[in-house]
């Protein structure tokens, strides 16, 4: 069985920073509420003319910068996004064209906040089977496009950005050692994007802008149990112990969720990489950006045992364990 690992990482975040104080001018909220309830201090906001694809391309270029595999050597591109700029073509095809990855197959996956890990798991299966040798996996979100800026319960939580990684065969004992992927479709109404069904529209009706609807408290509980149990599961599946884990890169939805996951999973919170204070919840891109920064800041080094874990709409939970 081939070992597949991550050989390069990349990220892109838009320049514009929106602080909690900026949001105090938009909705009835406070820096104090947002900070204590979520851990978020600021988030990035894409330019009006900056698309999910633009951010995906920048993250891809960033990953290619440090990659042993050049663009022409990429055989598969998967983009995870819940905020695509048009129904088709896939963002991945536009990335392919922009980076000159002429020899690749390209498509998108939709799994909201768990999209990046779903895409990594999907790519890994293609690489393990031998159908493709290398893959570029990107998560890109213009989540702020899906916000109702008058809904303080959701508009303070999300931000824009993108992350990427390149998968390729690695030496034995290294790479992705275990994975977990599960959906609890029965809870799909806890977090969704509300759009009007076109079939129900009267002629000439103005179509409502899509907006995120969330039942935060219910989600919180499922997020904690699902992610904590997924961490334990991938560690056990890899034949390792919790003490062997050097770094956990979790979905960045709420700092209080991360604390509760650490406690329930039995892994010290010091081992969790957290950047929610800077970016808020960037959906699929959150764990991708965090992975890049954990490597950049030296929390992940060659030989580190890394667990990535995500949770989101669907409800989809995903995790993997990587020997870096
Ligand atoms: O990424 C996908 C996965 N996402 C998640 O897993 C999110 C999980 N949920 C959460 O992280 C938290 O539930 C939230 C951050 C969304 C909300 O925190 P909470 O502690 O559960 O707050 P709450 O919804 O229970 O609201 C508490 C109070 C309410 O006021 P009352 O009814 O107690 O008077 C809200 O109206 O806080 C109020 N509130 C706000 N106040 C100031 C809600 N949003 C705001 C706000 N500013 N932005």
């Amino acid at each position: 069985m081939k070992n597949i690992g991550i050989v390069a990482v990349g990220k892109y975040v838009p320049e514009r920073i929106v602080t909690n104080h900026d949001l105090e001018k938009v909705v009835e909220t406070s820096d104090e509420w947002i900070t204590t309830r979520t851990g978020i201090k600021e988030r990035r906001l894409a330019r009006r003319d900056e698309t999910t694809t633009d951010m995906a391309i920048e993250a891809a270029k960033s990953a290619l910068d440090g990659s042993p595999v050049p663009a022409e050597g990429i055989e598969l591109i998967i983009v995870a996004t819940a905020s695509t700029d048009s129904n088709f073509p896939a963002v991945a095809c536009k990335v392919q064209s922009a980076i000159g990855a002429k020899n690749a197959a390209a498509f998108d996956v939709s799994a909201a906040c768990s999209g990046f890990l779903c895409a990594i798991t999907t790519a890994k299966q293609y690489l393990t089977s031998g159908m493709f040798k290398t893959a570029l996996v990107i998560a890109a979100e213009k989540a702020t496009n899906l916000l109702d800026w008058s809904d303080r319960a959701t508009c303070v939580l999300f931000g824009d950005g993108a992350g990427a990684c390149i998968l390729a065969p690695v030496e034995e004992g290294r790479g992705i050692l275990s994975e977990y992927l599960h959906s609890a479709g029965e809870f799909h109404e806890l977090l969704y994007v509300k759009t009007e069904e076109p079939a129900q529209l009267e002629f000439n009706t103005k179509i409502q802008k899509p907006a995120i609807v969330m039942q935060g408290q219910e989600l919180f509980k499922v997020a904690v149990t699902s992610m904590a149990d997924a961490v334990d599961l991938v560690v056990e599946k890899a034949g390792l112990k919790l003490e062997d884990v050097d770094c956990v890169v979790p979905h960045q939805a709420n700092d209080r969720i991360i604390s509760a996951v650490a406690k329930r999973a039995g892994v010290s919170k010091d081992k969790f990489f957290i950047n929610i204070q800077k970016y808020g919840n960037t959906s699929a891109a959150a764990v991708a950006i965090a992975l890049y920064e954990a490597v950049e800041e030296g929390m992940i080094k060659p030989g580190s045992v890394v667990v990535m874990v995500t949770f989101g709409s669907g409800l989809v939970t995903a995790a993997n364990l990587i020997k870096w």
Side-chain angles (χ1 to χ4, degrees), residues 222-278:
V222 194
V224 172
T225 50
S226 307
M227 284 202 285
D229 295 353
V231 171
D232 291 342
L233 217 134
V234 288
V235 171
E236 193 190 325
K237 228 168 146 185
L240 296 174
K241 298 202 177 69
L242 289 171
E243 311 80 271
D244 299 324
V245 175
D246 297 303
C247 179
V248 181
V249 185
H251 176 48
Q252 315 277 320
N254 189 325
D255 185 55
R256 289 188 295 133
I257 293 179
I258 297 173
S259 300
V261 168
K263 196 167 167 207
R264 184 179 163 108
V267 180
S268 160
K269 196 184 172 194
D270 297 343
K271 291 187 175 178
F272 282 66
F273 184 85
I274 300 165
N275 62 3
I276 190 172
Q277 67 284 359
K278 293 194 286 183

Side-chain angles (χ1 to χ4, degrees), residues 29 33 37 113 152 156 191 216-217 251 254 256-257 281:
T29 190
W33 191 95
R37 299 284 179 135
C113 301
R152 68 176 184 175
V156 303
L191 177 56
Q217 284 192 359
H251 176 48
N254 189 325
R256 289 188 295 133
I257 293 179
N281 182 349

